[in-house]
Amino acid sequence: MTCNDRYGRRDLGLLLLRLGTGGVLAAHGAQKLFGWFGGHGIEGTGAFMESVGYAPGKASATASGLAETGGGALLALGLATPGAGAAAAGAMAGAAAVHAPNGFFNAEGGYEYAATLGLAAAGLAVTGPGRLSLDHALGHVLDRGWMVPAALAGTAAVTAVVVGARYRRVREREQGTQDPLFD
């Protein structure tokens, strides 16, 4: 395979995309799980998750951290790509839900960063890892065509339930703190 042929370029591009996206996701998750790279670990992240409506906070931090760290590492390796991409995309959808009230751009606290990582992860789940991957080396036993819609649909369903529950908690909290209309 040479970088001059179309497939060699595509495989190299997918490798770079997997390494970049997967590496960022894995580091982001390691902040949550282990407190590395300036993160707050499970305790601090759990308290934050609870404050933004993801309850219980510690379990939410663990699930999010595992999806980001595990999904990111697997994406970087090109292993179990449909499940890895779906897990990472689901975690980023949950993050985007928190940041959505701030608009799109990250500079204003918006969901731009989470959306970018989530869409890249989902795109890799759909496209596949390319030939420069463990999935390819292992004969794609963890990267079958049927796994893509199954992983994305399963993750979408779980994400909808989790984000919906968070939305209800936040709405109830906000309604409980409003001033009464009449005294």
Side-chain angles (χ1 to χ4, degrees):
M1 173 177 59
T2 67
C3 285
N4 292 332
D5 70 28
R6 188 173 90 143
Y7 296 108
R9 286 179 34 214
R10 183 191 69 199
D11 291 329
L12 183 59
L14 286 169
L15 173 65
L16 293 173
L17 184 59
R18 284 192 353 258
L19 290 173
T21 303
V24 168
L25 283 161
H28 196 67
Q31 289 180 307
K32 289 177 175 69
L33 291 177
F34 311 116
W36 296 352
F37 313 115
H40 300 287
I42 292 292
E43 294 298 327
T45 304
F48 170 75
M49 298 285 265
E50 191 87 34
S51 77
V52 296
Y54 287 114
K58 199 171 180 181
S60 297
T62 301
S64 177
L66 287 172
E68 292 171 13
T69 304
L74 289 171
L75 279 176
L77 294 169
L79 182 62
T81 304
M92 291 297 100
V98 172
H99 295 281
N102 300 323
F104 178 71
F105 292 104
N106 192 48
E108 302 296 322
Y111 63 94
E112 170 187 20
Y113 177 70
T116 301
L117 286 175
L119 288 170
L124 286 166
V126 171
T127 304
R131 292 182 290 179
L132 302 174
S133 66
L134 287 179
D135 274 337
H136 181 74
L138 297 172
H140 295 278
V141 295
L142 300 173
D143 179 31
R144 303 281 186 214
W146 64 266
M147 293 175 181
V148 175
L152 291 172
T155 298
V158 170
T159 301
V161 168
V162 170
V163 171
R166 176 207 171 256
Y167 176 74
R168 282 189 299 281
R169 278 189 217 91
V170 169
R171 190 178 65 226
E172 288 169 4
R173 186 183 313 156
E174 288 172 355
Q175 288 174 347
T177 60
Q178 289 180 341
D179 292 330
L181 291 176
F182 304 103
D183 287 326

